[in-house]
Amino acid sequence: MERIDVQLGARSYPISIGEGLLADASLFENVRSRRVAVISNETVMPLYGEKLVSTLKQAGAQDVACLSLPDGEAYKSLETFNTINTFLLENNYNRDVVLVALGGGVIGDIVGFASACYQRGVDFIQVPTTLLAQVDSSVGGKTAINHPLGKNMIGAFYQPKAVVIDTQVLSTLPDREFAAGMAEVIKYGIIADAPFFDWLDSEMAALTALSPDALSYAIRRCCQIKADVVAQDETEAGVRALLNLGHTFGHAIEAEMGYGNWLHGEAVATGTVLAAHTAQRHGLLDEQSVSRITALLEKAQLPVHVPAQMNYGAFIKHMMRDKKVLSGQLRLVLPTAIGQAQVVADVPHQLLADVIDAG
Ligand code: NAD
Ligand code: MG
């Protein structure tokens, strides 16, 4: 088992990673003598709910109830948030309740937000079950729901008490979702850790074959990098922006192609390749690194080409709405070497147009 501590003073918490951890009661000691609600969705609850409930009881929970929400990003909504509140109130939970989020990033985000709000804040534990949630959304304390006018627009920074990552649950995850999570894994190598990038390049086959040791190592490295960045910049005032490599381009693809048609990680993969080409044409990155980045994403079964329907105009209208745009100036995260990235504000729009129309 691997363990990392996210260092945030009084709000610090452990992340445990390993095979079969869903059955390890020692990782859930926060629940002893307390009432617990496991919140999941109709896909994941039938797969792992029973095992988790039995572990929580073994850990000494006073009682454990389950709430299963509908599956999908469309349900990361105010209505579902309120379904959770109603469930919690009907069960007469007070501030001592512990919420356990069992699922992917959608469940983690909505349960995290409900935890931040219910009676002004209750404890919660993240049990992420997608690769994306295990390496990204369960770490860092960003919680949110969507508004019809914008994704993740209503939310809070709220840290869990623990994150428990069981690599075994990835065996039921659809291949496409696994690959999408791998885009974020590769992102960490590009922005922060060249040896990890090399390791991913040589171990990609072991990872896609779900080797428990390879998975635990990769997930630990990602969580460590994210935890370090978050410890430096919890509320995204500076260095945390680097975690958005590929995301400005990626969000444009997701929005233009219709959310759900391209998975987030797929759009980030193509966005990362566009960021690499942009960096290269801007004189910040060598050509060999662009090729290595592209090749590794392809090895992970990810798309690396701009959708045929999308030209520069289609990208830029979405990209100018990015949260990093300051006084009308686009700011892009660009790789400057494998293992290094920076925010760049002076990329000419013509250069971007050339990259996108070539991509
Ligand atoms: P998801 O939660 O929708 O999960 C993807 C699909 O996999 C769902 O159908 C889910 O039911 C299913 N699933 C989950 N675990 C499974 C398992 N073990 N076996 C079989 N099926 C399983 O999607 P996601 O990619 O995990 O998360 C995306 C969400 O995360 C978005 O809403 C995004 O905004 C959010 N996010 C948040 C942060 C953050 O910092 N808070 C970071 C990145 C993404
Ligand atoms: Mg992302």
Side-chain angles (χ1 to χ4, degrees):
M1 184 176 78
E2 312 253 10
R3 190 187 141 124
I4 296 167
D5 288 292
V6 182
Q7 306 283 358
L8 289 167
R11 286 170 296 111
S12 299
Y13 56 93
I15 303 174
S16 309
I17 305 149
E19 194 187 9
L21 299 195
L22 226 51
D24 187 340
S26 71
L27 302 176
F28 296 91
E29 55 189 27
N30 288 302
V31 307
R32 187 171 307 129
S33 308
R34 295 169 71 178
R35 303 187 67 197
V36 180
V38 175
I39 305 178
S40 186
N41 71 24
E42 62 205 9
T43 306
V44 179
M45 189 71 96
L47 292 168
Y48 303 109
E50 208 176 289
K51 186 187 271 178
L52 183 58
V53 168
S54 124
T55 304
L56 291 164
K57 286 184 176 157
Q58 211 185 317
Q62 187 187 321
D63 61 59
V64 185
C66 292
L67 173 64
S68 204
L69 302 170
D71 187 359
E73 180 75 34
Y75 298 98
K76 205 171 109 175
S77 62
L78 190 61
E79 290 72 33
T80 312
F81 168 71
N82 214 27
T83 302
I84 298 175
N85 291 327
T86 304
F87 170 82
L88 298 176
L89 289 165
E90 282 176 353
N91 277 278
N92 298 309
Y93 289 125
N94 61 26
R95 295 187 65 185
D96 200 40
V97 68
V98 182
L99 306 190
V100 181
L102 171 69
V106 168
I107 287 292
D109 276 13
I110 193 167
V111 175
F113 184 57
S115 305
C117 297
Y118 186 68
Q119 301 194 3
R120 302 194 183 83
V122 297
D123 288 353
F124 89 111
I125 298 174
Q126 289 270 20
V127 183
T129 63
T130 62
L131 182 58
L132 180 128
Q134 296 184 342
V135 300
D136 189 355
S137 61
S138 68
V139 182
K142 279 194 193 174
T143 73
I145 56 174
N146 301 328
H147 186 280
L149 297 180
K151 193 165 143 55
N152 293 329
M153 281 297 132
I154 316 296
F157 284 97
Y158 195 69
Q159 303 292 344
K161 290 293 167 199
V163 181
V164 179
I165 299 177
D166 185 345
T167 56
Q168 230 163 43
V169 303
L170 298 176
S171 64
T172 52
L173 191 67
D175 291 346
R176 213 178 141 195
E177 295 286 350
F178 183 86
M182 197 53 75
E184 303 281 3
V185 173
I186 293 169
K187 173 194 80 180
Y188 289 110
I190 300 170
I191 63 170
D193 190 342
F196 181 50
F197 184 96
D198 295 342
W199 181 89
L200 287 170
D201 205 14
S202 62
E203 299 300 320
M204 191 51 71
L207 288 165
T208 44
L210 304 184
S211 147
D213 289 345
L215 281 174
S216 292
Y217 176 73
I219 295 165
R220 173 169 70 82
R221 271 316 293 147
C222 296
C223 290
Q224 187 69 63
I225 293 167
K226 184 155 184 189
D228 289 347
V229 169
V230 169
Q232 285 175 61
D233 180 18
E234 189 181 1
T235 56
E236 201 164 332
V239 58
R240 192 164 177 167
L242 299 184
L243 296 172
N244 289 327
L245 173 69
H247 282 61
T248 305
F249 293 103
H251 287 149
I253 298 176
E254 283 183 277
E256 189 70 14
M257 301 305 287
Y259 283 97
N261 294 321
W262 275 58
L263 296 180
H264 173 72
E266 294 170 339
V268 166
T270 295
T272 298
V273 171
L274 291 172
H277 281 294
T278 303
Q280 192 263 326
R281 289 197 193 212
H282 203 43
L284 297 169
L285 185 69
D286 60 86
E287 248 179 78
Q288 196 211 350
S289 299
V290 180
S291 310
R292 292 192 65 211
I293 288 168
T294 310
L296 183 54
L297 291 163
E298 280 187 302
K299 211 188 250 191
Q301 311 293 327
L302 286 158
V304 296
H305 295 293
V306 170
Q309 305 89 313
M310 278 185 80
N311 59 15
Y312 169 71
F315 269 88
I316 203 70
K317 78 172 186 238
H318 296 289
M319 289 171 76
M320 292 310 288
R321 290 190 205 132
D322 187 79
K323 286 201 272 297
K324 288 187 296 304
V325 169
L326 269 188
S327 347
Q329 174 85 61
L330 191 58
R331 291 156 78 244
L332 289 170
V333 180
L334 300 182
T336 49
I338 288 180
Q340 218 175 289
Q342 67 185 52
V343 177
V344 179
D346 63 349
V347 178
H349 282 222
Q350 186 54 51
L351 188 158
L352 277 182
D354 293 345
V355 166
I356 289 164
D357 292 335

